[in-house]
Amino acid sequence: MSEMSIFNALYQGPSNRFACGALTAIAHMPGEMYNPLWLYGPSGVGKTAMLNATADAPRDHPSRPLILHIQAERLVHDMIRAIQRDCTEDFQARILSFQVILVDHADCLSGMEVTQRSIANCCWRPSTRAPR
């Protein structure tokens, strides 16, 4: 199935229009926009389906980018293990070796601002770091 037919098959409504636009941009320009991308929202609105479509789309891209599609819980678990083992630089290097970072089920981090900030600081490249 082609990249555009995958995105055309996704339902686009008022609640996910921005997310679909961001995901389409990622598919066309992997690693250049919305990176890392965090999707969160209520269960059953299609977040995982949209991320799966996005993770599959760049396979046809000429640069064949390395894509990390990870559950937020797993990312937190891996970060905690890196902190415990005093190897956070290795963890960050591994995360940043991917050109596209897609984080699913970020809603599990609701109310965990320090954790969110720590992960965001790890995942953003200096050239794309958000202003403080």
Short mmCIF file of all heavy atoms in Angstrom, two decimals, residues 3-42:
data_model
loop_
_atom_site.label_atom_id
_atom_site.label_comp_id
_atom_site.label_asym_id
_atom_site.label_seq_id
_atom_site.Cartn_x
_atom_site.Cartn_y
_atom_site.Cartn_z
N GLU A 3 2.20 5.17 0.53
CA GLU A 3 2.15 6.10 1.65
C GLU A 3 0.86 6.91 1.66
O GLU A 3 0.20 7.05 2.68
CB GLU A 3 3.38 7.01 1.55
CG GLU A 3 3.31 8.28 2.34
CD GLU A 3 4.44 9.20 1.93
OE1 GLU A 3 5.55 8.74 1.68
OE2 GLU A 3 4.17 10.40 1.88
N MET A 4 0.48 7.47 0.52
CA MET A 4 -0.70 8.32 0.49
C MET A 4 -1.98 7.51 0.71
O MET A 4 -2.89 7.99 1.35
CB MET A 4 -0.77 9.11 -0.82
CG MET A 4 0.31 10.18 -0.91
SD MET A 4 0.60 11.13 0.62
CE MET A 4 -0.95 11.94 0.86
N SER A 5 -2.04 6.28 0.21
CA SER A 5 -3.26 5.51 0.44
C SER A 5 -3.39 5.13 1.91
O SER A 5 -4.49 5.03 2.43
CB SER A 5 -3.31 4.28 -0.46
OG SER A 5 -2.24 3.41 -0.19
N ILE A 6 -2.26 4.93 2.61
CA ILE A 6 -2.31 4.67 4.04
C ILE A 6 -2.91 5.86 4.75
O ILE A 6 -3.82 5.74 5.57
CB ILE A 6 -0.90 4.35 4.60
CG1 ILE A 6 -0.42 3.01 4.08
CG2 ILE A 6 -0.91 4.37 6.13
CD1 ILE A 6 1.04 2.71 4.38
N PHE A 7 -2.44 7.07 4.43
CA PHE A 7 -2.96 8.27 5.09
C PHE A 7 -4.38 8.57 4.67
O PHE A 7 -5.17 9.06 5.47
CB PHE A 7 -2.04 9.47 4.83
CG PHE A 7 -0.80 9.41 5.67
CD1 PHE A 7 0.41 9.06 5.12
CD2 PHE A 7 -0.85 9.68 7.03
CE1 PHE A 7 1.55 8.98 5.89
CE2 PHE A 7 0.29 9.60 7.81
CZ PHE A 7 1.48 9.25 7.24
N ASN A 8 -4.73 8.29 3.42
CA ASN A 8 -6.10 8.54 2.97
C ASN A 8 -7.09 7.60 3.67
O ASN A 8 -8.26 7.94 3.82
CB ASN A 8 -6.22 8.38 1.45
CG ASN A 8 -5.54 9.51 0.72
OD1 ASN A 8 -5.35 10.60 1.27
ND2 ASN A 8 -5.15 9.26 -0.52
N ALA A 9 -6.61 6.43 4.09
CA ALA A 9 -7.48 5.47 4.76
C ALA A 9 -7.77 5.87 6.21
O ALA A 9 -8.72 5.37 6.80
CB ALA A 9 -6.85 4.07 4.72
N LEU A 10 -6.97 6.76 6.76
CA LEU A 10 -7.19 7.21 8.13
C LEU A 10 -8.33 8.22 8.17
O LEU A 10 -8.42 9.10 7.32
CB LEU A 10 -5.93 7.86 8.70
CG LEU A 10 -4.71 6.96 8.85
CD1 LEU A 10 -3.50 7.80 9.26
CD2 LEU A 10 -4.96 5.87 9.88
N TYR A 11 -9.18 8.09 9.17
CA TYR A 11 -10.25 9.06 9.35
C TYR A 11 -9.65 10.37 9.83
O TYR A 11 -8.86 10.39 10.77
CB TYR A 11 -11.28 8.56 10.37
CG TYR A 11 -12.26 9.64 10.75
CD1 TYR A 11 -13.30 9.97 9.89
CD2 TYR A 11 -12.12 10.35 11.93
CE1 TYR A 11 -14.19 10.98 10.22
CE2 TYR A 11 -13.01 11.35 12.27
CZ TYR A 11 -14.05 11.66 11.41
OH TYR A 11 -14.92 12.65 11.73
N GLN A 12 -10.00 11.46 9.17
CA GLN A 12 -9.54 12.77 9.62
C GLN A 12 -10.75 13.60 10.01
O GLN A 12 -11.65 13.83 9.22
CB GLN A 12 -8.77 13.48 8.51
CG GLN A 12 -7.43 12.83 8.23
CD GLN A 12 -6.59 13.66 7.29
OE1 GLN A 12 -6.65 14.88 7.31
NE2 GLN A 12 -5.80 12.98 6.47
N GLY A 13 -10.75 14.02 11.27
CA GLY A 13 -11.82 14.85 11.79
C GLY A 13 -11.24 15.99 12.60
O GLY A 13 -10.02 16.15 12.69
N PRO A 14 -12.10 16.76 13.22
CA PRO A 14 -11.63 17.92 13.99
C PRO A 14 -10.65 17.55 15.10
O PRO A 14 -9.74 18.31 15.40
CB PRO A 14 -12.91 18.51 14.58
CG PRO A 14 -14.03 17.94 13.81
CD PRO A 14 -13.55 16.65 13.22
N SER A 15 -10.80 16.37 15.68
CA SER A 15 -9.95 16.01 16.82
C SER A 15 -8.56 15.53 16.42
O SER A 15 -7.64 15.53 17.23
CB SER A 15 -10.63 14.92 17.66
OG SER A 15 -10.76 13.74 16.90
N ASN A 16 -8.37 15.12 15.17
CA ASN A 16 -7.05 14.60 14.79
C ASN A 16 -6.48 15.26 13.53
O ASN A 16 -5.49 14.80 12.99
CB ASN A 16 -7.09 13.08 14.62
CG ASN A 16 -7.85 12.64 13.40
OD1 ASN A 16 -8.44 13.44 12.69
ND2 ASN A 16 -7.87 11.34 13.16
N ARG A 17 -7.09 16.33 13.08
CA ARG A 17 -6.63 16.98 11.84
C ARG A 17 -5.18 17.44 11.95
O ARG A 17 -4.39 17.22 11.05
CB ARG A 17 -7.55 18.14 11.48
CG ARG A 17 -7.26 18.72 10.11
CD ARG A 17 -8.38 19.62 9.60
NE ARG A 17 -9.52 18.78 9.26
CZ ARG A 17 -10.75 18.94 9.75
NH1 ARG A 17 -11.01 19.91 10.59
NH2 ARG A 17 -11.72 18.14 9.39
N PHE A 18 -4.81 18.08 13.06
CA PHE A 18 -3.43 18.54 13.22
C PHE A 18 -2.48 17.36 13.26
O PHE A 18 -1.42 17.39 12.62
CB PHE A 18 -3.28 19.39 14.49
CG PHE A 18 -1.87 19.87 14.69
CD1 PHE A 18 -1.39 20.97 13.99
CD2 PHE A 18 -1.01 19.20 15.53
CE1 PHE A 18 -0.08 21.41 14.15
CE2 PHE A 18 0.30 19.62 15.70
CZ PHE A 18 0.76 20.73 15.01
N ALA A 19 -2.84 16.31 14.01
CA ALA A 19 -1.98 15.13 14.10
C ALA A 19 -1.77 14.50 12.72
O ALA A 19 -0.64 14.14 12.37
CB ALA A 19 -2.58 14.11 15.07
N CYS A 20 -2.83 14.39 11.92
CA CYS A 20 -2.68 13.82 10.58
C CYS A 20 -1.77 14.68 9.72
O CYS A 20 -0.94 14.16 8.97
CB CYS A 20 -4.05 13.68 9.91
SG CYS A 20 -5.03 12.31 10.56
N GLY A 21 -1.89 15.99 9.84
CA GLY A 21 -1.00 16.89 9.09
C GLY A 21 0.45 16.73 9.51
O GLY A 21 1.35 16.69 8.66
N ALA A 22 0.69 16.63 10.82
CA ALA A 22 2.06 16.44 11.32
C ALA A 22 2.62 15.12 10.84
O ALA A 22 3.78 15.04 10.41
CB ALA A 22 2.07 16.51 12.84
N LEU A 23 1.81 14.07 10.88
CA LEU A 23 2.28 12.75 10.47
C LEU A 23 2.56 12.70 8.97
O LEU A 23 3.51 12.06 8.53
CB LEU A 23 1.26 11.70 10.88
CG LEU A 23 1.10 11.54 12.40
CD1 LEU A 23 -0.11 10.71 12.73
CD2 LEU A 23 2.35 10.97 13.02
N THR A 24 1.76 13.38 8.19
CA THR A 24 2.00 13.45 6.75
C THR A 24 3.32 14.18 6.48
O THR A 24 4.11 13.76 5.63
CB THR A 24 0.83 14.15 6.03
OG1 THR A 24 -0.37 13.42 6.30
CG2 THR A 24 1.05 14.20 4.53
N ALA A 25 3.58 15.27 7.24
CA ALA A 25 4.84 16.00 7.08
C ALA A 25 6.02 15.10 7.42
O ALA A 25 7.05 15.13 6.74
CB ALA A 25 4.84 17.25 7.96
N ILE A 26 5.89 14.30 8.46
CA ILE A 26 6.97 13.38 8.84
C ILE A 26 7.21 12.36 7.73
O ILE A 26 8.35 12.05 7.41
CB ILE A 26 6.63 12.67 10.16
CG1 ILE A 26 6.68 13.67 11.32
CG2 ILE A 26 7.59 11.51 10.42
CD1 ILE A 26 6.09 13.13 12.61
N ALA A 27 6.14 11.87 7.13
CA ALA A 27 6.29 10.88 6.06
C ALA A 27 6.99 11.48 4.85
O ALA A 27 7.79 10.80 4.19
CB ALA A 27 4.92 10.34 5.66
N HIS A 28 6.72 12.76 4.55
CA HIS A 28 7.33 13.40 3.38
C HIS A 28 8.75 13.90 3.66
O HIS A 28 9.57 13.93 2.74
CB HIS A 28 6.47 14.57 2.90
CG HIS A 28 5.20 14.14 2.26
ND1 HIS A 28 5.16 13.42 1.09
CD2 HIS A 28 3.90 14.30 2.63
CE1 HIS A 28 3.90 13.16 0.77
NE2 HIS A 28 3.12 13.69 1.69
N MET A 29 9.01 14.32 4.90
CA MET A 29 10.32 14.88 5.26
C MET A 29 10.78 14.25 6.57
O MET A 29 10.80 14.91 7.61
CB MET A 29 10.22 16.40 5.41
CG MET A 29 9.84 17.11 4.15
SD MET A 29 9.60 18.89 4.39
CE MET A 29 8.13 18.92 5.42
N PRO A 30 11.14 12.97 6.55
CA PRO A 30 11.48 12.27 7.80
C PRO A 30 12.62 12.94 8.56
O PRO A 30 13.64 13.28 7.98
CB PRO A 30 11.89 10.87 7.34
CG PRO A 30 11.57 10.77 5.90
CD PRO A 30 11.30 12.13 5.38
N GLY A 31 12.39 13.15 9.84
CA GLY A 31 13.42 13.69 10.71
C GLY A 31 13.55 15.20 10.69
O GLY A 31 14.34 15.76 11.44
N GLU A 32 12.79 15.89 9.85
CA GLU A 32 12.94 17.33 9.73
C GLU A 32 11.91 18.12 10.52
O GLU A 32 12.17 19.26 10.89
CB GLU A 32 12.88 17.75 8.26
CG GLU A 32 14.05 17.21 7.46
CD GLU A 32 14.01 17.64 6.02
OE1 GLU A 32 13.49 18.74 5.74
OE2 GLU A 32 14.49 16.88 5.17
N MET A 33 10.75 17.56 10.74
CA MET A 33 9.69 18.27 11.46
C MET A 33 9.08 17.36 12.52
O MET A 33 9.07 16.15 12.35
CB MET A 33 8.59 18.71 10.48
CG MET A 33 9.07 19.65 9.40
SD MET A 33 7.76 20.08 8.25
CE MET A 33 6.70 21.05 9.31
N TYR A 34 8.57 17.97 13.58
CA TYR A 34 7.85 17.25 14.64
C TYR A 34 8.66 16.04 15.12
O TYR A 34 8.18 14.92 15.12
CB TYR A 34 6.47 16.79 14.16
CG TYR A 34 5.63 17.90 13.59
CD1 TYR A 34 5.40 17.99 12.24
CD2 TYR A 34 5.09 18.87 14.43
CE1 TYR A 34 4.63 19.02 11.71
CE2 TYR A 34 4.33 19.89 13.92
CZ TYR A 34 4.09 19.96 12.56
OH TYR A 34 3.34 20.98 12.05
N ASN A 35 9.89 16.28 15.49
CA ASN A 35 10.75 15.17 15.87
C ASN A 35 11.46 15.48 17.17
O ASN A 35 12.27 16.39 17.21
CB ASN A 35 11.77 14.93 14.75
CG ASN A 35 12.43 13.58 14.87
OD1 ASN A 35 11.85 12.64 15.38
ND2 ASN A 35 13.65 13.49 14.39
N PRO A 36 11.11 14.80 18.24
CA PRO A 36 10.23 13.64 18.31
C PRO A 36 8.77 14.05 18.26
O PRO A 36 8.43 15.20 18.55
CB PRO A 36 10.55 13.04 19.68
CG PRO A 36 10.97 14.20 20.51
CD PRO A 36 11.68 15.13 19.56
N LEU A 37 7.92 13.12 17.89
CA LEU A 37 6.49 13.36 17.88
C LEU A 37 5.86 12.56 19.00
O LEU A 37 6.10 11.36 19.13
CB LEU A 37 5.86 12.93 16.55
CG LEU A 37 4.34 13.10 16.54
CD1 LEU A 37 3.98 14.57 16.42
CD2 LEU A 37 3.72 12.31 15.42
N TRP A 38 5.06 13.23 19.81
CA TRP A 38 4.33 12.60 20.91
C TRP A 38 2.85 12.74 20.61
O TRP A 38 2.38 13.84 20.36
CB TRP A 38 4.60 13.33 22.21
CG TRP A 38 6.02 13.38 22.63
CD1 TRP A 38 7.03 14.11 22.06
CD2 TRP A 38 6.60 12.66 23.69
NE1 TRP A 38 8.19 13.88 22.72
CE2 TRP A 38 7.96 13.00 23.72
CE3 TRP A 38 6.11 11.76 24.63
CZ2 TRP A 38 8.83 12.47 24.67
CZ3 TRP A 38 6.97 11.25 25.56
CH2 TRP A 38 8.32 11.60 25.57
N LEU A 39 2.14 11.64 20.59
CA LEU A 39 0.69 11.69 20.44
C LEU A 39 0.05 11.23 21.74
O LEU A 39 0.45 10.22 22.31
CB LEU A 39 0.21 10.78 19.32
CG LEU A 39 0.47 11.21 17.89
CD1 LEU A 39 -0.19 10.25 16.93
CD2 LEU A 39 -0.02 12.61 17.63
N TYR A 40 -0.92 11.98 22.19
CA TYR A 40 -1.66 11.56 23.36
C TYR A 40 -3.11 11.97 23.18
O TYR A 40 -3.42 12.88 22.41
CB TYR A 40 -1.08 12.14 24.66
CG TYR A 40 -0.99 13.63 24.69
CD1 TYR A 40 -2.02 14.40 25.21
CD2 TYR A 40 0.12 14.28 24.18
CE1 TYR A 40 -1.94 15.78 25.22
CE2 TYR A 40 0.22 15.66 24.19
CZ TYR A 40 -0.82 16.40 24.72
OH TYR A 40 -0.74 17.76 24.73
N GLY A 41 -3.98 11.27 23.85
CA GLY A 41 -5.40 11.54 23.76
C GLY A 41 -6.16 10.33 24.28
O GLY A 41 -5.56 9.34 24.71
N PRO A 42 -7.48 10.41 24.23
CA PRO A 42 -8.28 9.31 24.77
C PRO A 42 -8.10 8.02 23.97
O PRO A 42 -7.71 8.03 22.80
CB PRO A 42 -9.71 9.82 24.67
CG PRO A 42 -9.67 10.95 23.70
CD PRO A 42 -8.29 11.49 23.70
#
